[in-house]
Amino acid sequence: MKKDFLTLASLTAGDLRRLLALAARCKRSPRACAAALSGKTLALVFQKPSVRTRVSFEVAIRRLGGSAIYLGPDDVYLGKREPTKDVARTLARYVDAIVARTFSHKDVEALAHFACVPVINGLSDLHHPCQALADFFTMSERCGRLRGITLAYIGDGNNVLHSLAEGATLLGVTLRVATPARYRPQTAIWKAAVKRARRTGARLMWSDDPREVAAGADVVYTDVWTSMGYEREQAIRRRAFRAFQVDEALLRVAKRRCLVMHCLPAHRGEEITDEVVEGPRSIVFDQAENRLHVQQALLLTLLGKDGGR
Ligand code: CP
Ligand code: NVA
């Protein structure tokens, strides 16, 4: 059976911990796995722009001895030039795995359903599991543990938050979320996370008050108010999220040595101030770097001797 990586909820807590441990080994000894995926080819099917996801996957596969082919929005009009299922079956005849960045999560699911090679979600409207994987790796590196730490997410109930909620509830991280009431995380994803939290002992809460959520937090996390694909709502969102900016005043209620995270790209002056991004608590470029290490671990797991096809 080929394995896909579409959401964090598709993993067990054990799978997730093993991936994080492998990522730590990849980071410690970057050359140890050189040639482990020699001759393997990755197709990157991207319907939206990307710096981190694209470059970190291209470098990761090269470090492992393989190569990548980038197909941007002008190369593959998913479902427009030809049906997504035909793209999936065609690419699977040439490459060993597909990383897809799509508007609709249904497109990543369709690629996974029809391709006989592993499909990795490189961001959809609902999930960004590679990002959350790097984020938990970064938190564990910086805090020395994951279980019991308090992560405060302030902003939009979007794809990044959904993946953080799935991972936090698997790993026993306390997740406190502040969004405007209209921009809460999707009900089905949140309900499943609450259910999972009951099993794993993780704690989850939501509020529309950023100060209540940030109080005493170990980590304060934010992401853009307007995700890719929602640009038409930008003006309305700017007004709705005005009270949800991560600034120095908000950080004063968090732990004194709290860490600040953002998946990037950041919109300074909207969800976060320039002062906070550039300040001593910010670990945003560690997060960005760690995309590379966790994705090496992911590729080894999906395509290495014991995984993949
Ligand atoms: N964080 C992230 O996924 O960045 P890119 O959109 O640049 O890939
Ligand atoms: N939520 C953002 C994440 C970008 C990496 C978006 O989807 O645009």
Side-chain angles (χ1 to χ4, degrees):
M1 269 283 280
K2 62 129 178 173
K3 298 183 220 149
D4 300 304
F5 183 66
L6 305 192
T7 66
L8 280 189
S10 64
L11 303 181
T12 64
D15 292 335
L16 188 44
R17 289 208 180 84
R18 273 188 291 279
L19 266 174
L20 297 176
L22 183 55
R25 288 205 292 281
C26 292
K27 186 167 183 175
R28 260 198 318 272
S29 340
R31 304 285 156 220
C33 302
L37 298 185
S38 167
K40 303 268 184 192
T41 308
L42 204 55
L44 304 177
V45 177
F46 277 35
Q47 303 285 288
K48 297 172 177 171
S50 169
V51 172
R52 282 144 288 269
T53 307
R54 175 181 175 177
V55 177
S56 54
F57 266 113
E58 290 200 14
V59 173
I61 188 76
R62 268 183 230 167
R63 281 195 178 179
L64 297 170
S67 58
I69 297 170
Y70 175 78
L71 297 156
D74 291 337
D75 302 307
V76 180
Y77 288 97
L78 271 188
K80 295 197 178 77
R81 185 162 179 259
E82 59 186 318
T84 303
K85 61 184 182 182
D86 291 0
V87 174
R89 288 175 293 184
T90 303
L91 288 177
R93 299 288 178 111
Y94 304 131
V95 302
D96 300 283
I98 300 169
V99 181
R101 170 166 285 204
T102 62
F103 287 94
S104 168
H105 188 69
K106 286 196 168 51
D107 283 332
V108 198
E109 287 178 336
L111 286 170
H113 183 76
F114 287 101
C116 60
V117 296
V119 172
I120 296 170
N121 180 0
L123 181 147
S124 66
D125 59 343
L126 290 185
H127 299 276
H128 197 1
C130 296
Q131 180 66 52
L133 202 56
D135 296 338
F136 288 113
F137 180 77
T138 309
M139 286 178 235
S140 118
E141 202 174 38
R142 288 305 199 109
C143 302
R145 70 196 163 101
L146 284 171
R147 182 161 286 279
I149 68 166
T150 300
L151 167 62
Y153 179 96
I154 317 285
D156 185 23
N158 63 15
N159 44 9
V160 169
L161 173 59
H162 291 157
S163 293
L164 288 172
E166 293 189 343
T169 48
L170 280 170
L171 293 164
V173 170
T174 296
L175 176 64
R176 301 163 63 89
V177 174
T179 72
R182 273 193 55 200
Y183 298 95
R184 292 177 75 138
Q186 212 191 56
T187 310
I189 294 173
W190 187 256
K191 277 193 177 156
V194 169
K195 214 162 133 194
R196 200 176 311 108
R198 280 194 211 111
R199 275 203 327 268
T200 62
R203 284 187 293 174
L204 269 185
M205 67 84 82
W206 173 88
S207 161
D208 61 2
D209 178 358
R211 288 177 65 85
E212 181 193 358
V213 161
D218 296 292
V219 179
V220 176
Y221 196 120
T222 190
D223 182 20
V224 292
W225 293 339
T226 305
S227 285
M228 292 179 280
Y230 296 83
E231 289 80 3
R232 269 182 312 185
E233 299 174 15
Q234 190 162 37
I236 301 171
R237 284 172 169 267
R238 273 195 187 131
R239 281 196 295 280
F241 285 96
R242 219 174 4 226
F244 288 78
Q245 186 180 66
V246 173
D247 58 12
E248 287 296 338
L250 182 68
L251 294 182
R252 275 199 283 279
V253 303
K255 283 205 178 127
R256 202 165 54 84
R257 298 166 72 97
C258 79
L259 302 169
V260 174
M261 299 181 73
H262 191 307
C263 59
L264 303 178
H267 294 169
R268 290 160 162 90
E270 290 194 19
E271 76 278 1
I272 195 161
T273 59
D274 179 60
E275 192 183 10
V276 171
V277 179
E278 303 296 339
R281 299 180 180 95
S282 167
I283 55 167
V284 299
F285 297 107
D286 291 339
Q287 279 177 267
E289 177 190 330
N290 285 335
R291 295 291 304 274
L292 171 63
H293 309 300
V294 298
Q295 286 160 201
Q296 265 190 274
L298 184 63
L299 292 172
L300 284 167
T301 304
L302 297 178
L303 296 173
K305 267 199 236 68
D306 306 322
R309 286 193 283 184

